[in-house]
């Protein structure tokens, strides 16, 4: 694996920081901080650039909130300026390098991949009925909070040798006071991909598992031999231990033709695919919320119009 140097000058260039601001502000133009930077970009980006060059930049304190859908999680939030801009600046330089390290069948947080692409790939796998009789479906318990910063930084060092970029990445990696990788950081999704990249190559290349897909902390391995999958489940548990990770009790091995594979929001069979029931329920709930909000807005608009007519 080739380590890349001479990256920091590109990362801190005004062109890269300006592009980072443009990318980070998408969908957030109503934020006060975004409007602040929009009003005079150079007033904010030039001092940020100097802080990066002088190594006086440090990750801001996090704000947290708890969400309960689709499951209970603590979300960490950083200020738009300077942190979110810095994260985008990092990604614009590092993403092309990191993408080359990933296996083809990693589908989380990668442009051009995602849930639908991963589900389609699984359906392609299922066309080989002889070699996909059984499925090992695994899930890692509390993946993001369990990631060890020291181990993550070691993995990052395998792809980066630029000392200034390493300084910046280290600041972000060790910024969470609660340990682990903060859910909500722009960089966290790629950190979660990187953390298990050696594991992915081990599964594909050392264990020879052709039919393997990973999406963040979820994965499936298909094989013709149930006994071999039982061995692999034990080997995976042993592999993950030094990384601070454990398999969830939901990890299981089952015949594919008995019930299909519930993965990435769909239940995949050899001949057809169904939307997962929980996904359908969430979709219907969202539609009801939209309908309710629309009806409320229509009623308010009607009353406002009547009041306007009466006032006239």
């Amino acid at each position: 694996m080739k380590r890349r140097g001479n990256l920091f000058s590109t990362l801190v260039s005004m062109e890269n920081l300006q592009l980072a601001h443009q990318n980070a502000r998408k969908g957030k133009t109503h934020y006060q901080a975004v409007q602040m930077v929009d009003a005079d970009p150079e007033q904010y980006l030039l001092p940020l650039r100097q802080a990066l060059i002088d190594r006086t930049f440090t990750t801001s304190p996090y704000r947290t909130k708890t969400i309960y859908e689709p499951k209970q999680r603590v979300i960490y939030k950083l200020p738009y300026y300077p942190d979110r801009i810095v994260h985008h600046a990092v990604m614009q330089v590092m993403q092309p390098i990191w993408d080359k390290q990933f296996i083809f069948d990693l589908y989380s947080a990668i442009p051009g991949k995602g849930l639908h692409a991963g589900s389609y790939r699984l359906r392609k796998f299922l066309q080989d009925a002889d070699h996909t009789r059984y499925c090992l479906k695994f899930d890692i318990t509390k993946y993001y909070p369990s990631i060890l910063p020291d181990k993550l930084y070691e993995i990052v060092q395998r792809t980066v040798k630029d000392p200034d970029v390493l300084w910046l990445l280290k600041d972000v990696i060790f910024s969470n006071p609660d340990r682990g990788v903060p859910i909500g950081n722009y960089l966290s999704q790629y950190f979660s991909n990187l953390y298990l990249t050696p594991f992915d190559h081990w599964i594909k290349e050392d264990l020879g598992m052709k039919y393997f897909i990973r999406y963040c902390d979820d994965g499936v391995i298909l094989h013709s031999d149930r006994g071999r999958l039982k061995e692999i489940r034990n080997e995976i548990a042993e592999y993950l231990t030094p990384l601070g990770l454990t398999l969830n009790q939901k990890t299981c091995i089952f015949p594919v033709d008995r019930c299909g594979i519930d993965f990435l929001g769909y239940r995949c069979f050899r001949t057809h695919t169904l939307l997962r029931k929980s996904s359908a329920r969430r979709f219907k709930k969202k539609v009801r919320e939209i309908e309710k909000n629309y009806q409320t807005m229509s009623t308010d608009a009607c009353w406002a119009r009547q009041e306007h007519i009466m006032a006239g």
Side-chain angles (χ1 to χ4, degrees):
M1 185 181 297
K2 184 178 180 181
R3 298 173 68 221
R4 295 290 298 272
N6 302 317
L7 301 169
F8 194 66
S9 59
T10 302
L11 195 156
V12 299
S13 67
M14 278 300 292
E15 293 80 6
N16 192 53
L17 292 176
Q18 288 167 347
L19 179 61
H21 168 53
Q22 292 304 315
N23 287 330
R25 70 191 289 279
K26 290 178 181 178
K28 301 178 179 67
T29 53
H30 59 289
Y31 284 19
Q32 184 177 356
V34 173
Q35 296 171 3
M36 175 186 74
V37 179
D38 278 343
D40 190 352
E42 289 194 355
Q43 178 185 348
Y44 295 96
L45 297 182
L46 283 173
L48 173 56
R49 179 175 186 269
Q50 197 60 49
L52 291 168
I53 292 172
D54 296 340
R55 293 196 181 188
T56 56
F57 169 84
T58 189
T59 301
S60 302
Y62 288 96
R63 291 188 295 112
T64 62
K65 70 173 183 178
T66 302
I67 64 171
Y68 299 92
E69 290 290 340
K71 60 183 179 181
Q72 183 173 336
R73 292 182 297 177
V74 177
I75 304 298
Y76 295 76
K77 298 188 69 175
L78 286 171
Y80 176 81
Y81 179 87
D83 299 87
R84 295 192 189 184
I85 295 176
V86 168
H87 286 203
H88 277 265
V90 169
M91 280 295 293
Q92 286 160 190
V93 173
M94 295 306 305
Q95 182 181 323
I97 297 170
W98 286 336
D99 282 354
K100 293 177 182 178
Q101 315 303 321
F102 300 149
I103 62 169
F104 179 82
D105 289 314
L106 174 64
Y107 285 89
S108 48
I110 300 173
K113 296 291 187 73
L115 297 172
H116 298 302
S119 177
Y120 179 77
R121 180 69 164 167
L122 177 58
R123 282 174 279 174
K124 295 286 286 185
F125 285 175
L126 291 176
Q127 292 176 8
D128 184 357
D130 291 339
H131 297 95
T132 60
R133 294 175 57 206
Y134 296 96
C135 175
L136 165 58
K137 181 184 175 187
F138 67 85
D139 174 69
I140 297 173
T141 301
K142 296 182 179 179
Y143 179 46
Y144 278 77
S146 300
I147 290 175
L148 302 176
D150 289 332
K151 292 288 186 181
L152 175 59
Y153 185 62
E154 286 178 15
I155 292 169
V156 167
Q157 286 179 298
R158 298 176 192 176
T159 58
V160 181
K161 65 179 179 181
D162 187 312
D164 293 312
V165 174
L166 285 174
W167 156 75
L168 180 55
L169 290 173
K170 186 174 184 179
D171 183 88
V172 177
I173 288 170
F174 288 89
S175 63
N176 184 6
D178 301 322
R179 206 190 69 164
V181 167
I183 300 174
N185 266 4
Y186 184 58
L187 283 170
S188 291
Q189 291 181 318
Y190 256 63
F191 284 157
S192 74
N193 284 345
L194 281 168
Y195 197 62
L196 286 180
T197 289
F199 167 82
D200 294 337
H201 286 282
W202 173 70
I203 292 285
K204 285 278 192 181
E205 297 154 18
D206 295 355
L207 299 186
M209 294 296 105
K210 178 181 179 181
Y211 297 128
F212 164 57
I213 294 174
R214 181 168 71 88
Y215 188 96
C216 193
D217 56 346
D218 294 319
V220 294
I221 302 174
L222 306 176
H223 200 268
S224 59
D225 186 347
R226 183 174 194 147
R228 179 63 182 131
L229 288 181
K230 287 182 179 179
E231 294 173 355
I232 289 173
R233 179 178 58 189
N234 295 333
E235 291 177 44
I236 288 175
E238 185 177 346
Y239 186 103
L240 295 177
T241 299
L243 297 175
L245 306 176
T246 57
L247 290 176
N248 195 297
Q249 292 182 350
K250 295 185 292 184
T251 296
C252 58
I253 299 170
F254 54 89
V256 170
D257 292 322
R258 186 185 68 191
C259 55
I261 303 173
D262 189 350
F263 189 57
L264 303 182
Y266 298 91
R267 186 176 291 277
C268 295
F269 297 85
R270 298 196 191 277
T271 57
H272 62 284
T273 302
L274 301 175
L275 184 66
R276 181 188 289 166
K277 289 183 179 179
S278 59
S279 300
R281 285 195 296 269
R282 285 198 297 271
F283 178 75
K284 291 177 181 178
K285 181 180 178 182
K286 191 67 176 178
V287 169
R288 287 195 296 268
E289 289 175 355
I290 293 172
E291 289 177 341
K292 182 178 179 181
N293 291 337
Y294 177 77
Q295 291 170 357
T296 300
M297 291 171 61
S298 298
T299 302
D300 291 345
C302 182
W303 278 108
R305 180 173 177 80
Q306 291 183 12
E307 290 175 356
H308 177 73
I309 293 172
M310 293 174 65

